[in-house]
Structures are given as C-alpha cells and as structure tokens.
Amino acid sequence: MHDLHVISWNVTRQCNLACSHCYLPAVAASEGSSPSAPDELSTHQALRLIDQVGSVNPEVVLILSGGEPMLRGDIFELSAYASQKGMMVVLGSNGVLIDGPVSRLIKQSGISGISISLDSVGPNIHDEMRLSPGAWERAVAAIRHCANEGISVQVNTVVTSKNYDEIPELIAFARGLGATVYSPFFLVCTGRGEKLTDISPQQYEHMLSAIVATENREGGMMIRTRCAPTIRRILYERDPDSTLLRMDTGRCLAGLSYCRISPEGDVTPCPYLPLAAGNIREGNFKDIWERADLFASLRKQSLKGKCSACTFRRLCGGCRARAYAAYHDYLEEDPWCSYVPREGAVIEPAAFVKDSNLPQDEAAAPVWSREAEDRLKRVPSFVRAMVRRAVERYAREHHCVKITPDLMEELKQKSGMGGMHGSR
C-alpha cells in the first residue's frame, strides 16, 4: 500500500485574479458570504472529507488552495477542524487579501504554513502574469505579515520565458522577505495555460543545474522545485549517493504519496493531470486512494517513449502531467527532458534501509530527544513531516536508538539542504 503524505485541495474555483497560466477555469468571486460556490463541496461535505482523509493518514500535510481559498467563507472552520484532527494545514494563496489582522487569523485557525505566489522582483512582470495591477505589492506585504506572525512562508514562482532570467535574484529576494522555502514551479501547459509558450528544454535543464549548484548558498532557506523530476538525474550526476535522492526530493509523487482534490470532489493524481480516479460524493476517499485503477497504473508506471529506455527511469520517471498535456497519455515520455538515453543498467538511487530488513529490536521508531523535537519545530511546516521520516530512517540505518540535534546536523550536512533542519 502506498502511504499518503500530501494532499492539495482546491477548496474553491473562485478567484480575485485571472492568471494567464492557471490550470483552473476562471470563476469570479461570488457576492455574499456563502461558504462555497455552486457545485463545490458544502461545509458539511468538506468536513466529512477531512474525516475520511484522517482515516488514511491523520498526520497528512493538507494544502488548502484554490482559486483563492480566502474567498471561501468557511476556510478557517475547515483549517481549524483539520488541524485539530492532527493534520499539518498549509494555505496556498495569492496574498491579495492578507493583511496584518488576517495573518493573525490564519495562525489562530491552525494553519502552520502558507505559500504565496511571487513571479518577479518587481511589479511589472508579476502584475502582467496575474492580470491585476497592484497584485505584486499586496503579495509582498502578505509575505511580510505572515513571516512577522511566525508562520512558515513558502514563496512560489511560475517559471516562464518572462521571468526566467530573474530566478536567481528572486531566490535572494524571497529570502530577504523572510521566506523559509522558495519553490519554482515549472509550467505544465494545461487549463488557461494550454497555449502559453514555455521555456525551452535547454533552459529547463540549465535552470535545474543552477538550482542544484545554488542550494547551499541561501542562508538557511530551502529550495524545492515542482514539476521538475529531471532535477533527480542532475543530483545523481553531481553525487550518486546524495541523501536528497533517498528522500525522494524532486520526484513526481502523483498517485504515489500525493493527490489532489478538486472543488467538486474529484480525486486526481495532481492539479495538472485532469483525470479523476473517483469523486468523494460517490465514494469514500480511502477506497479511491487505495483501489482506483488510475492510481494503480501510476504506481506501476509502464513508461513509454524515451522514458521507457532511459537508465534514469526509476530515479526520475519524468513528469506525468506534462506527458499527458503533450500526448494525452500520462505514461508517455516527458517532452521537456532534453537528455538522450544511453545504454546501460537502470540506475537505482541509494535508499535508506527498509524497516523490514532490520532486526526486530532495531525496527522500532527511535526515540526523539527533547532538544531534537524542539529543533524539528523550527523546520518549515511544508517539509516537517518529510524531515521527520527521513531522520528516523537515517537513525535506523545507523543503528541509533535516540535522535539528537547532532544526528540531525549530520544528516543536514550530508543532504546539502541548508534550511532543512532548522538553526542550531
């Protein structure tokens, strides 16, 4: 059975922007204070969904996104309910509606992290992409407000030909605003972005190489790519024993440990792969996650095209959403990958020792010291669950029965992720 670690839930299609690259059809914000728009899950249905998700993994990372989730009238009720269930709740927003008082409400509702979109170091490109004058200024203010409240902030950037040259500067800018994570999203041409012109495969390769080289120089801020599994090949070429590869950094997890829920209740592998495995109005979420044919196919991954012949196919696997957007077949080759497969044995990433391979007395979860738990609390909420699993696996691999800050520091140095395990 595949463990569920992260869910991205588009709680509404309503939005106060009309971004040209969005994967959702534009739906203007409705008048009044109704918790949800027509055809979207009601408050009762949404709370029931949270219960069903909790039966699969009560500690899942639940990302409440949109549209603009702040336009849903019951957003704080949903976040508080999920947080009380033990889930790590994260909000994905454009930041336009977030000021000082709202940022305090966000924290009080149990939301431990927020991702805010920022596509440029200045307003021109951002506002043009978001089709809204003033959007950049309000997003920057929202980042500062949330950081001041002690909320972990992830800055998201959609990488396009318009801002490609700005990414190194944007990384430093995000760090200066107080972000703990910076995440460049590599465009999947679907939804409103179907006709957009992307960066070239060569630019994609160059950008990922630059990000790998930059990782350790950002003063504690973590950099996480999205929709860019090619970075795993680049990591391997740099260091075949990279701890990042053991932790599945950069891998496409659609249908493996991640899924998305649409405003209407469809369960899909990811936001950019518009194929429904089922709908929670018609079936139980647990049954859909564990038994749907679509997820079973993704987990088997009988890849086609050059991905099927690539020695890196188990390490990388390509972007299944990008393959579907290009060929209407999610098992086809990734059209953005410029790598030419070579003959040779399939490359397997170094893996942590599986728990089942350890002696019974060593398979039990190691004990966390109070100091280590305190340090884990300083890890950005977006990656805390992943870090906990990685540290525990690392401890088992090295036959450590107790996790200490020194052990966490050791893994931090080996992983090369400057902001992963907090400051000492």
Side-chain angles (χ1 to χ4, degrees), residues 71-117:
L71 289 171
R72 182 161 172 137
D74 59 359
I75 189 62
F76 292 141
E77 180 181 355
L78 301 184
S79 61
Y81 188 75
S83 177
Q84 290 163 7
K85 289 280 183 179
M87 299 175 191
M88 182 175 293
V89 184
V90 177
L91 190 72
S93 173
N94 57 41
V96 169
L97 299 176
I98 299 174
D99 56 16
V102 171
S103 66
R104 288 190 283 276
L105 288 174
I106 289 172
K107 187 171 184 178
Q108 292 167 6
S109 72
I111 293 170
S112 58
I114 186 167
S115 62
I116 296 177
S117 300

Side-chain angles (χ1 to χ4, degrees), residues 125-151:
I125 293 175
H126 180 93
D127 290 357
E128 179 184 351
M129 291 177 63
R130 304 285 163 175
L131 301 179
S132 176
W136 181 89
E137 183 177 354
R138 283 175 283 182
V140 168
I143 293 168
R144 290 192 172 115
H145 286 306
C146 291
N148 289 339
E149 287 296 323
I151 302 169

Side-chain angles (χ1 to χ4, degrees), residues 250-396:
R251 185 182 180 191
C252 177
L253 299 175
L256 305 180
S257 60
Y258 168 81
C259 70
R260 169 259 193 162
I261 300 169
S262 78
E264 298 79 21
D266 285 336
V267 182
T268 74
C270 84
Y272 312 105
L273 187 50
L275 298 174
N279 187 288
I280 63 97
R281 283 170 162 155
E282 301 167 359
N284 185 280
F285 175 82
K286 186 175 189 291
D287 292 337
I288 296 171
W289 172 253
E290 294 179 352
R291 301 176 185 175
D293 291 341
L294 175 57
F295 289 149
S297 175
L298 285 164
R299 291 161 189 170
K300 184 178 178 182
Q301 287 210 344
S302 300
L303 302 179
K304 302 176 183 179
K306 71 176 184 179
C307 282
S308 67
C310 184
T311 57
F312 288 101
R313 62 181 177 270
R314 295 190 188 277
L315 185 77
C316 166
C319 175
R320 299 301 96 216
R322 197 168 284 121
Y324 186 81
Y327 307 112
H328 298 287
D329 184 346
Y330 56 83
L331 295 176
E332 263 293 353
E333 65 185 49
D334 185 338
W336 267 28
C337 180
S338 61
Y339 180 75
V340 178
R342 304 166 188 168
E343 292 185 2
V346 175
I347 296 169
E348 300 278 1
F352 287 106
V353 173
K354 297 293 185 182
D355 298 350
S356 58
N357 294 333
L358 290 172
Q360 187 63 37
D361 61 338
E362 294 177 3
V367 176
W368 285 73
S369 71
R370 185 175 64 181
E371 295 79 9
E373 285 281 10
D374 288 343
R375 184 171 182 178
L376 185 66
K377 291 175 182 177
R378 298 197 294 271
V379 173
S381 63
F382 304 97
V383 294
R384 194 175 300 147
M386 179 191 75
V387 169
R388 179 181 285 277
R389 291 191 299 271
V391 172
E392 289 180 352
R393 289 176 184 174
Y394 185 78
R396 291 189 186 101

